[in-house]
Amino acid sequence: MTAPLLIIGAGLAGWTTAREFRKLDTQTPILLVTADSGDFYAKPSLSNALVQQRGPAQLVSTAAAKMSESLKVTLLAHTRVTALHPLTNSISTSQGDFSYSQLVLATGAQPIRVPLEGEAATQVLSINSLDDFALFHARLTPPRTDGRPTQVLIMGAGLIGCEFANDLAASGFGVTVVDPANAPLAALLPPEASLQLRDALGALGVNWHWGDTVKAVRYTTPPNSASLTSPTQGAALQVELTSGVQVPVDMVLSAIGLRSETALAQAAGLVCERGVQVDASLQTSAPHIFSLGDSAQYGPGLWHAEAAAGSTPRQPTGGRTLPYVMPIMSAAKALAATLVGQRTEVVFPLMPVAVKTPALPMVVAPPAPGTPGQWLSAEPGLWQFNDAQGLRRGFVLTGSQTPRRGEQAKLVVA
Ligand SMILES: Cc1cc2nc3c(=O)[nH]c(=O)nc-3n(C[C@H](O)[C@H](O)[C@H](O)COP(=O)(O)OP(=O)(O)OC[C@H]3O[C@@H](n4cnc5c(N)ncnc54)[C@H](O)[C@@H]3O)c2cc1C
């Protein structure tokens, strides 16, 4: 029997690869192994679900069984892959070993966790999956008995932190955001746009603590089963900031960033840096193994050519992670072609990101990290980034200017 195309991970990258592959090949068996349920959902909707009154069940757009039936995929859900064996083209899982003809790593990323002091540090939540959201939603939804809004402290004023701050505040929850920078999205935006976002979210009721970080999370009352399962029965947690400020809250959400899931690849000897290093056709440093999505680091390596020549694979050549939806769509299409034998290099178009902060809608197309140059305010609500040679490398649109994303994208030099 033909060994299957084996995909690890049922996020957007895993399922989109299966869908694109099936458009080109209806016969080769596909085995998809995933640690979660395999239900298909749009992860970006996790950070604007509350205001739309959507719970975890409403966020599932297609159930796992339906996905696997329509794509002719054999799904092994709730199954963790524990090891890759590139020399024998096989993997080990919690349900046994499986062989593959080609392997796709679509294992996503994990929330970064910083060590915190305090006996309640384990109560800090991160949201990077439907299961994470279900836990967050369950803890948030019982209303407090004293009628006061449930208080949530968010660590991090980046994209995810700001989106949850907007969604929570607009849904009537108390929100405090703590960040070491001095304004939201400081690394992505020109300072003026960043201040506009700060003011817009502030007007919605978000409290900010700039230049500060969370030091410790403690219980205000001794933990018992009631306070853990229903933390809305009083300000259950006391958060101590590095500055010494104390913030009583009901919940702490960490949104300080993600790190590509590279553990399996690293243990199998694949070259990894910030993610699993792939070349332009998404091949890792091992033959027949590919990666895309949040797990991948897209770089200009030439693994297949070097492996064919029998040389030692080169060391990571840089490249970057692209933890967004649009790159996955481009990557999955190119990868499907490669998997059916038409080696195809992925080309990423400029991919502006819509920030889901209705208090101040934004479209952000930042320059590549480290590009020398400067932001210029072109018009109210429009900033353009020019590099040292005066070439346009990025833009930011806010408020009523956001519909101009297509027009501005055309002005950016690749
Ligand atoms: C709250 C939030 C809002 C976002 N909003 C936007 C947005 O507005 N626009 C945008 O472009 N991007 C947004 N993103 C980013 C975007 O959603 C992600 O880039 C994308 O969903 C990543 O998909 P993925 O398939 O690579 O990873 P994931 O969805 O993380 O999937 C990884 C899969 O791998 C499985 N897995 C991992 N390890 C193992 C193992 N050892 N064994 C078996 N299975 C394993 C997991 O169970 C999971 O099924 C947002 C992200 C978040 C968290």
Side-chain angles (χ1 to χ4, degrees), residues 259-342:
R259 185 171 291 129
S260 297
E261 177 57 76
T262 58
L264 288 171
Q266 261 181 312
L270 275 59
V271 176
C272 299
E273 196 187 35
R274 290 186 300 282
V276 182
Q277 182 88 40
V278 294
D279 67 11
S281 36
L282 306 171
Q283 186 176 322
T284 68
S285 57
H288 315 301
I289 306 184
F290 303 82
S291 186
L292 79 168
D294 285 8
S295 52
Q297 178 176 338
Y298 302 100
L302 290 167
W303 317 117
H304 53 283
E306 293 181 13
S311 64
T312 314
R314 30 154 120 157
Q315 288 308 300
T317 49
R320 55 184 175 150
T321 56
L322 293 169
Y324 301 107
V325 169
M326 290 306 290
I328 291 176
M329 302 323 232
S330 304
K333 220 177 172 74
L335 178 56
T338 296
L339 293 170
V340 298
Q342 301 151 16

Side-chain angles (χ1 to χ4, degrees), residues 155-171:
M155 298 165 58
L159 276 172
I160 308 274
C162 287
E163 291 184 355
F164 276 110
N166 196 142
D167 202 33
L168 283 159
S171 306

Side-chain angles (χ1 to χ4, degrees), residues 247-270:
V247 190
V249 293
D250 301 295
M251 191 187 296
V252 181
L253 196 57
S254 175
I256 59 171
L258 299 173
R259 185 171 291 129
S260 297
E261 177 57 76
T262 58
L264 288 171
Q266 261 181 312
L270 275 59

Side-chain angles (χ1 to χ4, degrees), residues 348-364:
F348 294 116
L350 182 79
M351 293 169 290
V353 175
V355 186
K356 299 184 296 296
T357 46
L360 182 69
M362 295 188 129
V363 172
V364 182

